[in-house]
Amino acid sequence: MTIEKQLPSTRTTELDSICLKAEVIPVLAIARIEDAVPLATALVEGGLTVLEVTLRTDCALDAIRRINEALPQASVGVGTVLTPAQYRQAEQVGADFVVTPGTTEALYRYGVTSSVPMLPGVATVSELMTGWQYGYRRFKFFPAEASGGVKALKAFAGPIPDARFCPTGGIGINNAEDYLALKNVMCVGGSWLTPKSLVDAEDWDAIRSLAREAAERFHH
Ligand code: 3PG
């Protein structure tokens, strides 16, 4: 592995200012395009203005375009980015940031050249060390609960104290606080704010209440 170029530190600063806006980032998988704007609106009205829309559904890119247009005050990240080609698609739809579930050399290299900051997903110290060499300082910790949770994050702080994380995977209203109490956690992410049953029922009031509960409980 030869590292020719490192991530500019401005990308880290950009991620910090996005994460400062919300301690909780809802993770969305939008199955019906017509849900995109009402769902995002309910979350933003509830007080959660940073969203991650995953590329797990056919209409995801279109959904991100529509959300960006309807809610300019929201910061919209594109999640489940697996390849540089998807990273480019995220750039084209106006992503404020990119989130990956894991890392590859290709993604680390592409992210260094992009003007859109990436939160690379790591679960081990080795993946973290590779990212660190490329200049990455902010990471998603995924899948958080399955990969050692709070204990793992405390252990990461030993060798790499300056790395900070957005843990996701198995986090909900009852354990978010345990993560947010850690010095190396800047925010948490999760799909608990967008339960499929409420989205299918178009119950935007209930989703707004879930968002409000999280925003009030975990505010900075
Ligand atoms: C993600 O991609 O971040 C996860 O799917 C979110 O995990 P959760 O569904 O356990 O919250």
Side-chain angles (χ1 to χ4, degrees):
M1 174 180 85
T2 333
I3 296 171
E4 278 147 19
K5 197 166 181 268
Q6 275 209 322
L7 186 76
S9 62
T10 43
R11 296 289 100 77
T12 300
T13 317
E14 284 156 15
L15 283 172
D16 284 348
S17 57
I18 291 168
C19 292
L20 246 187
K21 286 197 261 174
E23 287 197 322
V24 178
I25 301 181
V27 175
L28 285 65
I30 298 169
R32 294 180 306 208
I33 188 64
E34 57 274 20
D35 292 339
V37 171
L39 173 59
T41 303
L43 293 165
V44 169
E45 283 177 358
L48 301 178
T49 58
V50 182
L51 312 175
E52 176 190 331
V53 179
T54 60
L55 295 184
R56 292 180 201 173
T57 59
D58 291 343
C59 66
L61 289 168
D62 198 19
I64 293 154
R65 252 185 240 111
R66 290 193 193 193
I67 294 169
N68 272 336
E69 218 172 274
L71 299 164
Q73 72 275 39
S75 293
V76 183
V78 176
T80 319
V81 168
L82 307 178
T83 61
Q86 288 180 320
Y87 201 135
R88 273 191 291 276
Q89 289 178 321
E91 292 169 328
Q92 283 157 10
V93 293
D96 290 302
F97 59 105
V98 157
V99 188
T100 71
T103 54
T104 62
E105 291 284 343
L107 277 170
Y108 272 144
R109 271 201 302 273
Y110 188 80
V112 163
T113 65
S114 176
S115 59
V116 177
M118 165 169 70
L119 263 185
V122 298
T124 67
V125 177
S126 299
E127 293 155 338
L128 187 55
M129 284 164 64
T130 304
W132 191 264
Q133 291 179 68
Y134 277 100
Y136 291 89
R137 300 292 179 264
R138 304 292 179 258
F139 300 86
K140 165 170 166 151
F141 174 48
F142 178 79
E145 282 289 286
S147 308
V150 164
K151 280 189 185 162
L153 284 166
K154 278 189 187 159
F156 290 172
I160 312 198
D162 296 334
R164 298 185 72 206
F165 300 89
C166 173
T168 64
I171 299 180
I173 194 83
N174 295 321
N175 60 356
E177 194 81 69
D178 302 338
Y179 285 93
L180 290 166
L182 302 177
K183 271 215 284 295
N184 60 352
V185 168
M186 46 189 181
C187 53
V188 299
S191 62
W192 90 88
L193 298 133
T194 57
K196 192 175 172 331
S197 54
L198 294 184
V199 176
D200 286 349
E202 298 175 36
D203 193 344
W204 313 128
D205 287 341
I207 289 181
R208 191 183 304 110
S209 301
L210 280 179
R212 187 162 294 138
E213 183 192 14
E216 283 170 4
R217 195 142 147 196
F218 306 122
H219 67 89
H220 283 277

